[in-house]
Amino acid sequence: MMKYISTRGEAAPLGFCDALLAGLARDGGLYLPKEWPTLSKKEIRALRGKSYQEIAFSVLEPFTNGEIPAAKFREMIDEAYATFRHPAVVPLVQAGANSFVLELFHGSTLAFKDVAMQLLARLMDYVLAERGERATIVGATSGDTGGAAIDAFAGRERTDIFILFPHGKVSPVQQRQMTTSAAANVHAIAIKGNFDDCQNLVKAMFNDESFRDGVKLSGVNSINWARIMAQIVYYFTAAISLGGPDRKISFTVPTGNFGDIFAGYVAKRMGLPIDKLIIATNENDILARTLKTGRYEMREVKATTSPSMDIQISSNFERLLFEAYDRDPAKVRATMAGLKQSGSFAIDDAALKKIRKEFRAARASEKEVAKTIGKIFKERGYLLDPHTAIGVFVAAKHEKSSAPMVTLATAHPAKFPGAVKSASGIDPALPTWLADLMNRVERFDILDPELKNVETFIGERTRVRE
Ligand SMILES: Cc1ncc(COP(=O)(O)O)c(C=O)c1O
Ligand SMILES: N[C@@H](CCOP(=O)(O)O)C(=O)O
């Protein structure tokens, strides 16, 4: 029976449905499966020629612990990916002789977040209905998680959703995807601060037991295991279509909160032959510096043209540390206490060696991002969004490797028209279903980054108490 354990070791292990609703563990840690389920090469080979939905079911079913009836789970997967506007769900596009771009942006809100969020909303709805419960979802966003969560949860009977975004620090398209929902259960809140302030508020709400229990708090950020879980699938689909498991594949991932690339790490642990996992950062390069020096050291957040990656506190790095410390929660607790106290920590030599064995990291400057968008458009007529451009730039540095290189295209260029136009001269158009987005009426509140204030705001509007 699969159980989920906390990286900090002081919260009770939970089954799949409880971990799904819990989000963050009660000891402040992040849930992970006690053991990694594995697929043999033969089992992976058997997935060749199958649809995204079929592969999703085979890869994810072992994580659900039999707590979701198989037919119901399959139905949720089918419904979730029917919302995607491409028949392949996440098509793989050839970008060079041995390099590819995995387009993860064909969902409703044009970012890779739709892949996990559409499934998560259906899973939560199902579990809450089975239990006759309601939940209050609070999420932090640097721009994309919020829109995807609002789209997936809008109008759902059993949840109210509150999304905290950094005031004035998301793109106009991202903002309107969060602020123009007419659904009564949706609340967009602009926080006077940056993404880390928003994320800290969400974590503090989870650590405030009376608030947490009072509103039946649940989370949809990648601190929620189910978010990572759903993102494992596309590493399998991409690798299989390039000859996996009989050939190793490398992935470059534009990275901020370390959720997406951690899903790649899990795919590897499950048996998918992945060669390199390459972390690509913008000028907020804390992860690239950490891999180089062994010290995680926070600095001021810089505003860049890839705002969704303007992050210093990379939450899921804690999951990697847990793995690198051979799942010793005491070491994770000590490390996280150090981070809270001093804004930095050092990684033990042995753990650092393990991390460096699995991952590479590099950054792209603002100039390099703009140059990459312009160059790829000129050479191939293909428009990259600034986040994907960071991946493509970093991937090119590693292309000598014999394994095919897949860069994850995490957002559609039309989400960031300003940066894309100034780099390429092209004004990327929003797809038809969002064509009137900039004319829709906005509805949001602006709050200070003050915990009690935000809790009161949420408490007064949640319907859990009714
Ligand atoms: C477009 C885009 N690219 C990349 C990232 C970074 O992904 P992660 O936070 O999972 O590392 C994000 C935010 O999560 C994003 O919205
Ligand atoms: N880049 C993200 C930040 C939140 O990340 P998450 O994956 O933990 O939800 C965003 O766009 O909001």
Side-chain angles (χ1 to χ4, degrees), residues 46-272:
L47 299 175
R48 285 181 185 156
K50 299 227 163 138
S51 68
Y52 186 89
Q53 290 83 340
E54 287 167 321
I55 295 178
F57 181 79
S58 301
V59 170
L60 301 183
E61 215 261 340
F63 290 104
T64 65
N65 220 4
E67 292 179 45
I68 312 281
K72 187 75 210 165
F73 190 42
R74 186 55 221 262
E75 194 182 302
M76 287 182 215
I77 289 174
D78 287 348
E79 271 183 34
Y81 299 115
T83 64
F84 277 62
R85 270 67 173 190
H86 195 288
V89 182
V90 293
L92 193 62
V93 174
Q94 184 129 23
N98 205 20
S99 61
F100 301 82
V101 165
L102 181 61
E103 293 184 346
L104 301 172
F105 52 69
H106 292 279
S108 325
T109 70
L110 313 179
F112 78 98
K113 310 287 179 169
D114 292 318
V115 176
M117 214 58 86
Q118 290 293 334
L119 185 59
L120 189 68
R122 286 166 174 84
L123 281 165
M124 278 199 180
D125 241 12
Y126 171 79
V127 176
L128 290 168
E130 284 293 295
R131 295 180 175 190
E133 291 175 5
R134 300 182 51 82
T136 302
I137 291 168
V138 182
T141 188
S142 52
D144 288 327
T145 291
I150 285 172
D151 183 84
F153 283 89
R156 292 193 183 265
E157 259 309 300
R158 296 193 167 268
T159 41
D160 290 308
I161 178 159
F162 296 82
I163 293 295
L164 278 49
F165 68 91
H167 189 32
K169 296 189 174 74
V170 299
S171 83
V173 172
Q174 287 178 314
Q175 173 160 325
R176 281 170 173 274
Q177 286 180 323
M178 294 186 272
T179 58
T180 58
S181 170
N185 69 330
V186 166
H187 306 268
I189 306 172
I191 295 288
K192 291 183 199 159
N194 57 34
F195 168 72
D196 290 325
D197 296 319
C198 298
Q199 183 162 243
N200 284 340
L201 282 165
V202 171
K203 286 184 179 169
M205 283 181 239
F206 273 100
N207 290 329
D208 178 345
E209 299 262 329
S210 82
F211 177 78
R212 178 179 185 152
D213 294 337
V215 302
K216 296 225 181 308
L217 188 61
S218 203
V220 291
N221 279 108
S222 56
I223 52 176
N224 189 319
W225 163 254
R227 276 277 314 279
I228 307 288
M229 178 187 91
Q231 292 172 200
I232 300 167
V233 176
Y234 46 71
Y235 288 90
F236 274 90
T237 59
I240 289 166
S241 63
L242 292 173
D246 298 310
R247 187 188 192 198
K248 283 191 171 186
I249 315 293
S250 292
F251 290 89
T252 301
V253 187
T255 297
N257 230 358
F258 208 77
D260 209 5
I261 197 159
F262 191 77
Y265 169 84
V266 177
K268 191 168 180 183
R269 297 303 307 260
M270 290 178 75
L272 188 69

Side-chain angles (χ1 to χ4, degrees), residues 171 305-307 366 369-375 377-378 382-389 411-429:
S171 83
T305 49
S306 46
E366 286 292 271
V369 174
K371 227 172 138 184
T372 305
I373 296 173
K375 178 172 173 274
F377 183 70
K378 209 167 157 203
Y382 188 79
L383 264 190
L384 298 170
D385 98 283
H387 304 76
T388 308
H412 189 289
K415 281 196 106 163
F416 308 95
V420 171
K421 186 164 186 194
S422 92
S424 66
I426 300 296
D427 209 348

Side-chain angles (χ1 to χ4, degrees), residues 270-412:
M270 290 178 75
L272 188 69
I274 292 182
D275 186 20
K276 289 192 191 72
L277 283 165
I278 300 167
I279 301 164
T281 77
N282 65 19
E283 290 184 2
N284 294 291
D285 59 354
I286 186 159
L287 292 171
R289 284 185 284 112
T290 304
L291 256 77
K292 197 167 169 195
T293 64
R295 279 193 67 76
Y296 188 101
E297 275 177 351
M298 283 168 59
R299 290 183 184 162
E300 278 291 296
V301 181
K302 275 190 197 171
T304 71
T305 49
S306 46
S308 304
M309 286 159 54
D310 290 348
I311 293 180
Q312 290 290 315
I313 304 169
S314 188
S315 290
N316 287 285
F317 200 67
E318 177 167 342
R319 285 189 162 113
L320 181 65
L321 284 176
F322 184 62
E323 291 284 286
Y325 282 137
D326 297 325
R327 298 192 153 214
D328 178 350
K331 286 198 171 161
V332 176
R333 283 200 301 275
T335 307
M336 290 303 140
L339 179 65
K340 199 170 173 192
Q341 207 178 29
S342 65
S344 67
F345 60 79
I347 305 173
D348 288 4
D349 286 348
L352 186 61
K353 205 168 156 196
K354 281 186 214 153
I355 293 174
R356 284 181 177 154
K357 193 168 162 242
E358 306 284 358
F359 295 89
R360 301 280 184 278
R363 72 170 220 158
S365 68
E366 286 292 271
K367 256 193 186 160
E368 287 160 341
V369 174
K371 227 172 138 184
T372 305
I373 296 173
K375 178 172 173 274
I376 300 292
F377 183 70
K378 209 167 157 203
E379 286 174 5
R380 301 182 178 273
Y382 188 79
L383 264 190
L384 298 170
D385 98 283
H387 304 76
T388 308
I390 292 166
V392 167
F393 174 81
V394 168
K397 291 186 169 183
H398 294 84
E399 260 170 23
K400 279 184 210 95
S401 132
S402 60
M405 172 65 78
V406 176
T407 299
L408 270 48
T410 50
H412 189 289

